[in-house]
Amino acid sequence: MVLAQLGGSISRALQQMSNATIIDEKVLNECLNEITRALLQADVQFKLVRDMSTNIKKIVNLEDLAAGHNKRRIIQQAVYNELCKILDPGKPAFTLKKGKPSVVMFVGLQGSGKTTTCTKYAYHHQKRGWKPALVCADTFRAGAFDQLKQNATKAKIPFYGSSYTESDPMKIAVDGVETFKKENCDLIIVDTSGRHKQEAALFEEMRQVSEATKPDLVIFVMDSSIGQAAFDQAQAFRQSVAVGAVIITKMDGHAKGGGALSAVAATKSPIIFIGTGEHMDEFEVFDVKPFVSRLLGMGDLSGLVNKIQDVVPMDQQPELLQKLSEGHFTLRIMYEQFQNMLKMGPLGQVFSMLPGFSAEMMPQGREKESQAKFKRYMTMMDSMTDEELDSTNPKILTESRIMRIARGSGRLVHEVMEMLEEYKRLAKIFSKMKGLKIPKKGDMSSLSRNMNAQNMSKVLPPQMLKQIGGMGGLQNLMKQMGSAKDMMGMFGGGGGGGE
């Protein structure tokens, strides 16, 4: 993914600066030149990049900084703040409210991935307890209804439309909205026609459908490959209909992704999601601070908490923490956590949420390899008895049992041994949580207070701790991320925001 390359380049520039013995003007300039080059390659506008570099130099006046100051941290913070400034449109998007039906209308040019994005948006909200429905009011493109029907069926989302009998998009939109309101759907998504270019007929049809359905939110879907031209497109659509938010698609394969993001932000349009691939789960909430934090390799723990809370049922979280605090890390727990990891979406995305890592460190091929490994291990564990899965003593897995597991799962003996080594490695990490006081009734906020940097340093793998910058870096990160509340989310607890 191109954004992973951008993040990797910026992280490397900051890392090289950290490796320097003395931070002087030369080191700072080299670091900024690398970051500037990376941003320009991602098609971010030259003026924005130049201004950012100038502002950082003003903030980081090396002569004025006393010897005791951590110059590296001040430079990293300045880079973080300036990148946030470039990508922040400065105003929040409309927030959907539960308890009353919300109508959301999607607009955009043909080929931007609008119909697929409608389904991803519906699926994202369905996983969070909403009852979405899809209405196809696109009568211009042949096959639009069939595509929406196929996507909706796959995601088990109700849909409405007419492929041949009705040609009036306004009537379809109104009938669909009314039908789903009666069925108590609380999120009704209307997909409208697109055209190959901005033309009067497109804008007129959008305006009519908007007037007829009175949407609570109009979302403009845009292909990231147009780069800086996104500015003119976003402006044109905003002038025709009341666009309240933007979703940028195809961020997985275009060097112009950075240009599209920064151009849309310059129109003061709030970007709410970015599409990072064809699959249903390749769809990320776009929130400037966590996004920049991940680009810089600083992680996004609150995002990770939300992902974990999406896949680990709330009622299981306290029980899992209780078992871990007692030192019970069994093969069954490992099986369940592998299951959860596979539900969390692309591993590269999850990986980039961990401090000190970037999505670039999990290349596409390796990602598929890791997922295949999880599935392979789970197949082997399916051939185990309850006693084997629930024991904390690996010695019960004798040679004859290992051979039986290999035969039952159709795998080789050495593969079963490899899986058991992985279990021992993870058990060793989680054994460091033993003795952590777990509050009654799963009171996670109280648990957060018990978890300080000292505890966290024992739980984190040494490589990750080193990447963060040791104990000092960990303490700083915990302050920055809102204490241990978010950190604990990595193990199934913690806070985690709502919509």
Side-chain angles (χ1 to χ4, degrees):
M1 184 179 162
V2 174
L3 282 183
Q5 289 169 16
L6 169 64
S9 303
I10 295 175
S11 295
R12 277 193 298 277
L14 290 167
Q15 192 59 47
Q16 279 166 3
M17 179 196 65
S18 294
N19 293 340
T21 320
I22 298 164
I23 306 285
D24 56 16
E25 202 74 38
K26 182 172 176 281
V27 171
L28 175 62
N29 284 336
E30 279 173 6
C31 174
L32 289 179
N33 287 343
E34 279 298 310
I35 292 170
T36 298
R37 195 174 299 124
L39 290 169
L40 291 173
Q41 280 172 351
D43 199 41
V44 177
Q45 195 189 19
F46 175 73
K47 184 183 177 299
L48 289 175
V49 177
R50 187 193 60 202
D51 290 351
M52 171 186 158
S53 190
T54 309
N55 290 346
I56 291 170
K57 282 181 182 171
K58 273 184 201 162
I59 296 161
V60 187
N61 189 329
L62 294 171
E63 287 173 18
D64 292 351
L65 291 180
H69 276 93
N70 186 329
K71 292 174 186 174
R72 291 173 184 82
R73 197 164 293 154
I74 290 165
I75 293 167
Q76 187 185 42
Q77 193 61 44
V79 171
Y80 171 82
N81 291 340
E82 289 300 314
L83 280 173
C84 286
K85 217 185 280 181
I86 288 175
L87 296 177
D88 192 348
K91 71 172 193 183
F94 170 84
T95 310
L96 300 172
K97 291 173 184 66
K98 283 193 177 178
K100 75 173 194 76
S102 297
V103 177
V104 177
M105 178 172 136
F106 274 65
V107 300
L109 295 183
Q110 199 170 309
S112 60
K114 187 162 42 64
T115 303
T116 303
T117 303
C118 283
T119 319
K120 285 182 175 184
Y121 183 82
Y123 181 68
H124 171 86
H125 286 87
Q126 185 186 51
K127 285 199 298 184
R128 283 154 182 77
W130 295 73
K131 191 182 173 188
L134 291 157
V135 178
C136 179
D138 180 356
T139 54
F140 178 78
R141 178 170 67 93
F145 173 70
D146 293 332
Q147 186 192 348
L148 184 122
K149 178 182 173 182
Q150 192 180 0
N151 288 349
T153 306
K154 201 170 163 187
K156 298 185 175 67
I157 293 164
F159 59 91
Y160 183 94
S162 170
S163 49
Y164 314 108
T165 53
E166 181 57 69
S167 60
D168 180 0
M170 270 204 305
K171 186 171 185 332
I172 294 173
V174 170
D175 289 352
V177 168
E178 288 309 312
T179 300
F180 288 126
K181 278 183 178 174
K182 283 175 191 161
E183 290 179 17
N184 295 321
C185 292
D186 54 9
L187 177 57
I188 303 160
I189 298 152
V190 181
D191 183 18
T192 62
S193 298
R195 300 284 192 278
H196 289 300
K197 59 181 188 292
Q198 298 166 18
E199 53 188 42
L202 167 63
F203 290 136
E204 181 54 30
E205 186 179 304
M206 279 187 331
R207 196 185 55 72
Q208 287 176 358
V209 174
S210 178
E211 272 182 21
T213 55
K214 297 186 171 46
D216 298 281
L217 174 64
V218 177
I219 295 176
F220 171 46
V221 179
M222 179 195 296
D223 180 342
S224 73
S225 66
I226 62 169
Q228 293 174 39
F231 183 93
D232 294 330
Q233 227 183 73
Q235 287 286 56
F237 273 82
R238 284 186 72 203
Q239 282 157 12
S240 299
V241 280
V243 172
V246 178
I247 294 176
I248 299 183
T249 60
K250 306 177 191 178
M251 289 292 282
D252 51 327
H254 290 291
K256 293 188 169 193
L261 282 173
S262 54
V264 173
T267 67
K268 300 282 180 251
S269 300
I271 303 161
I272 53 169
F273 288 96
I274 54 175
T276 55
E278 283 295 311
H279 299 290
M280 210 66 79
D281 54 8
E282 290 174 326
F283 193 58
E284 288 184 40
V285 174
F286 182 80
D287 189 352
V288 174
K289 287 181 179 175
F291 178 80
V292 173
S293 184
R294 283 165 62 188
L295 270 190
L296 299 184
M298 289 155 65
D300 168 21
L301 294 172
S302 54
L304 188 60
V305 174
N306 289 345
K307 267 199 177 292
I308 288 170
Q309 291 195 326
D310 280 348
V311 298
V312 182
M314 285 299 284
D315 57 344
Q316 286 180 24
Q317 292 174 17
E319 187 192 344
L320 170 65
L321 282 163
Q322 187 68 45
K323 282 179 184 171
L324 294 176
S325 75
E326 290 163 2
H328 292 310
F329 184 75
T330 61
L331 280 156
R332 192 184 299 280
I333 290 176
M334 183 168 93
Y335 185 97
E336 286 164 359
Q337 295 321 304
F338 283 167
Q339 243 177 348
N340 290 334
M341 281 296 281
L342 290 170
K343 281 188 216 161
M344 279 165 78
L347 289 179
Q349 219 181 78
V350 177
F351 211 58
S352 68
M353 291 178 173
L354 296 170
F357 293 87
S358 73
E360 198 186 34
M361 292 169 79
M362 175 67 86
Q364 285 298 127
R366 290 287 302 281
E367 190 170 307
K368 287 191 175 76
E369 199 182 296
S370 298
Q371 286 176 326
K373 187 169 77 171
F374 286 170
K375 287 174 184 169
R376 194 163 65 241
Y377 288 171
M378 286 162 74
T379 306
M380 295 176 211
M381 287 187 266
D382 283 335
S383 292
M384 289 184 171
T385 63
D386 286 345
E387 182 198 4
E388 289 160 356
L389 286 171
D390 294 320
S391 170
T392 52
N393 178 14
K395 286 180 182 168
I396 72 155
L397 287 159
T398 57
E399 195 176 328
S400 60
R401 286 186 175 209
I402 288 170
M403 287 175 78
R404 189 205 77 238
I405 293 162
R407 277 198 308 276
S409 59
R411 308 307 308 187
L412 299 170
V413 169
H414 82 83
E415 289 178 303
V416 179
M417 299 292 285
E418 180 195 293
M419 184 265 292
L420 292 174
E421 282 307 310
E422 181 72 5
Y423 163 69
K424 285 176 196 167
R425 190 182 69 77
L426 288 171
K428 193 176 171 189
I429 290 171
F430 282 104
S431 69
K432 291 171 185 173
M433 286 186 78
K434 192 172 179 179
L436 181 68
K437 288 176 187 159
I438 302 290
K440 285 175 188 167
K441 295 179 185 170
D443 177 6
M444 294 301 154
S445 57
S446 166
L447 172 59
S448 304
R449 290 192 290 275
N450 293 334
M451 192 69 171
N452 56 26
Q454 201 67 45
N455 291 125
M456 274 312 296
S457 68
K458 288 177 191 166
V459 175
L460 290 173
Q463 182 204 2
M464 192 188 291
L465 191 61
K466 190 181 171 193
Q467 290 265 18
I468 295 166
M471 273 300 287
L474 180 60
Q475 282 165 337
N476 183 51
L477 186 75
M478 286 174 82
K479 268 187 224 153
Q480 212 175 26
M481 291 294 191
S483 83
K485 188 177 178 189
D486 286 342
M487 302 293 274
M488 276 314 297
M490 290 168 74
F491 304 102
E499 272 299 301

